[in-house]
Amino acid sequence: MKESAIATSPSHKQGNIVAIVAMFFLFAMISFVTNLAAPLGTIWKNSYEWSGMVGNFMNFFAYLIMGIPAGTMLTRIGYKKTALWAMAIGAVGVFLQYLSGLFGGDVETFTVSGTPVMLNFIIYLLGAFVCGFCVCMLNTVVNPMLNMLGGYGKKGNQLLQLGGSLNSLAGTLTPLFVGMLIGTVTKQTSMSDVAPLLWIAMGVFVVAFIIISFVNIPEPHIQKKGAVKVKNTHSAWSFRHTVLGVVGIFFYVGIEVGIPGVLIFYLSDPVASGVTENGTAVAGAVAAVYWLLMLVGRLSSSAISGKVSSKVQLTVVSATAIVLILLAIFMPSSIRVSMPAYSVESGFSMAQVPISALFLVLCGLCTSVMWGGIFNLAVEGLGKYTAQASGIFMMMVVGGGVMPLIQNAIADNVGYMASYWLVIVMLAYLFYYAIVGSKNVNKDIPVNEEEELEIPDAL
């Protein structure tokens, strides 16, 4: 069967629509869970100065461990059961974060730089880690499924961008909600202050579990019982453009998370940013604009992706993002612009922030199309190796924890704006991948027919 057959067969059209809607919903869930990490980090940073991106790191570190197993789950139990397991695990992860606000604040575990680390912070990190398993599994499901339902190529990328639009919408609302609930972070601010949001998250997981359990999802990669086992002489690692795309995904997620993550810490710091009132709420609102622009970018990309290739889009946005970050680094902080903010005390207002913040949030228009573009280019022509590649990609999403952690360390030692030079280096790699690295030079590898049958031992 050709790769696009499932997406184009008339007998599958109605079922495909339901499956597409389900995948869109899961895309939103991914962003909702992921984007809890950075705003919640502002609470813990008040107690542990080094902890701002640690929760985010734990969330993404889970990808490194779960990426390959998640890809294996697709072939053994299918997309639907993998998604259901992800929902259950996600509810547990959020519940653990909720528990961190209830107890353990008076139990010392160990010390870091002379500061005692309490048990409640360890529980929070464990919750973030478990949530990472959830979003890794969901990502492993939705990306190859949408790409396949779109028939791969430009149409596959179009569906990925549409799904990414809902991902961005959830990303827009999450830091805004957290900022509304937290307001200004003080010594008294704790996880219990965002308990309503965590209960909402757990409720969403339960509802999502129920909905997905009733949805009929195509299972093209699941292993059939009694089928002849196939021993392949190649793998997804055999394709150069896939391997380079894996590195690209590692850097991309670091870019996507690092830009708004460090920006939140920058605007929450009154000395560095000059934002002296409701700094955390302002930071959350400005970060929400970044995710809102990602929504705009993905909607725009979905409208043109049927005609404009992923290669062209990735080339343009990576180059544009480099220019915007350079402007953010070199523009003096004394130049201020008005950006929207929200707090419980004051409601919606316009806050004066450094112009660098404006250039950084504009990067959301660029990062919006990168994920879909890289994934689409990297799995092009993989055929039966697509499920394995999806698991590998999810493993490399750990870059969203590693690179922002490095960037945050640079920010602490050199300065917030100076840390964005790391982002420029990563963007330069994506530009290279779009121009050169994305070409499939391994078209001689069979991807549809069986390569080598595994002969059972003689009885």
Side-chain angles (χ1 to χ4, degrees):
M1 180 183 290
K2 293 181 180 180
E3 289 181 347
S4 60
I6 293 179
T8 58
S9 174
S11 63
H12 287 85
K13 279 188 176 180
Q14 186 174 357
N16 283 352
I17 292 174
V18 176
I20 289 170
V21 172
M23 294 303 105
F24 284 175
F25 181 72
L26 294 184
F27 239 136
M29 289 290 297
I30 291 168
S31 184
F32 179 67
V33 177
T34 301
N35 286 287
L36 283 174
L40 293 182
T42 60
I43 296 176
W44 295 105
K45 191 176 176 67
N46 192 54
S47 300
Y48 313 106
E49 291 185 359
W50 43 267
S51 69
M53 278 292 186
V54 176
N56 180 76
F57 171 79
M58 293 299 293
N59 189 276
F60 282 96
F61 180 66
Y63 279 84
L64 183 63
I65 298 174
M66 195 62 196
I68 298 298
T72 302
M73 288 177 71
L74 285 189
T75 60
R76 292 188 177 179
I77 66 174
Y79 287 93
K80 182 174 179 176
K81 289 183 179 179
T82 301
L84 290 176
W85 270 106
M87 296 298 173
I89 291 172
V92 172
V94 175
F95 183 68
L96 285 171
Q97 293 183 72
Y98 167 73
L99 288 181
S100 71
L102 296 183
F103 65 90
D106 55 351
V107 180
E108 182 179 339
T109 55
F110 53 87
T111 61
V112 176
S113 300
T115 302
V117 178
M118 300 302 176
L119 179 61
N120 60 345
F121 183 61
I122 303 302
I123 296 173
Y124 161 72
L125 292 182
L126 178 61
F129 184 66
V130 173
C131 281
F133 283 127
C134 163
V135 290
C136 175
M137 294 166 69
L138 290 179
N139 260 313
T140 307
V141 169
V142 300
N143 286 280
M145 175 60 74
L146 282 178
N147 202 30
M148 178 198 67
L149 291 172
Y152 301 90
K154 294 178 181 177
K155 293 295 184 180
N157 185 39
Q158 191 170 37
L159 277 186
L160 284 172
Q161 298 303 344
L162 280 171
S165 298
L166 289 180
N167 183 277
S168 297
L169 179 60
T172 300
L173 297 177
T174 302
L176 183 60
F177 283 159
V178 177
M180 289 167 57
L181 287 169
I182 297 177
T184 302
V185 173
T186 66
K187 287 287 185 181
Q188 286 70 45
T189 305
S190 68
M191 288 294 291
S192 60
D193 294 317
V194 292
L197 180 64
L198 298 178
W199 276 111
I200 291 172
M202 285 183 275
V204 170
F205 273 119
V206 173
V207 172
F209 184 96
I210 295 172
I211 293 174
I212 296 300
S213 65
F214 287 101
V215 174
N216 182 28
I217 298 176
E219 303 287 359
H221 300 299
I222 192 170
Q223 293 176 346
K224 302 292 191 300
K225 290 184 178 180
V228 178
K229 292 183 179 180
V230 176
K231 182 179 180 181
N232 295 319
T233 56
H234 297 89
S235 70
W237 292 108
S238 303
F239 297 82
R240 191 198 72 166
H241 72 295
T242 301
V243 174
L244 295 179
V246 166
V247 178
I249 286 291
F250 180 87
F251 284 155
Y252 161 70
V253 187
I255 293 167
E256 182 193 273
V257 176
I259 291 176
V262 173
L263 177 60
I264 286 175
F265 296 138
Y266 172 56
L267 294 179
S268 299
D269 186 339
V271 176
S273 67
V275 180
T276 56
E277 296 184 9
N278 296 320
T280 303
V282 170
V286 172
V289 175
Y290 171 88
W291 295 106
L292 179 61
L293 290 178
M294 285 193 71
L295 170 62
V296 173
R298 282 170 172 165
L299 285 173
S300 300
S301 176
S302 66
I304 66 172
S305 289
K307 298 181 179 179
V308 181
S309 70
S310 299
K311 180 176 181 178
V312 171
Q313 291 187 52
L314 185 59
T315 301
V316 172
V317 296
S318 56
T320 303
I322 290 174
V323 173
L324 289 172
I325 299 253
L326 285 172
L327 288 171
I329 291 174
F330 288 109
M331 292 296 286
S333 61
S334 58
I335 301 178
R336 319 291 282 188
V337 294
S338 295
M339 296 193 71
Y342 183 89
S343 66
V344 176
E345 298 84 3
S346 307
F348 284 100
S349 62
M350 298 300 291
Q352 293 292 309
V353 299
I355 194 172
S356 296
L358 175 61
F359 290 123
L360 291 175
V361 298
L362 285 175
C363 287
L365 290 170
C366 301
T367 56
S368 62
V369 304
M370 290 179 179
W371 172 275
I374 297 170
F375 187 89
N376 183 259
L377 289 170
V379 301
E380 188 70 25
L382 290 192
K384 61 183 177 181
Y385 300 111
T386 301
Q388 181 193 21
S390 181
I392 295 171
F393 279 118
M394 294 313 107
M395 182 177 68
M396 286 297 99
V397 172
V398 69
V402 174
M403 301 313 294
L405 195 65
I406 295 174
Q407 186 183 352
N408 191 55
I410 296 173
D412 289 341
N413 290 279
V414 184
Y416 293 105
M417 287 300 108
S419 72
Y420 284 96
W421 281 108
L422 178 63
V423 177
I424 289 179
V425 172
M426 293 187 287
L427 286 168
Y429 177 85
L430 295 187
F431 182 79
Y432 155 79
Y433 181 70
I435 297 295
V436 179
S438 60
K439 183 179 179 181
N440 184 0
V441 297
N442 303 106
K443 294 183 179 180
D444 57 320
I445 299 176
V447 296
N448 293 316
E449 68 277 4
E450 296 178 351
E451 296 187 14
E452 182 182 343
L453 294 180
E454 186 178 271
I455 308 299
D457 295 334
L459 296 177

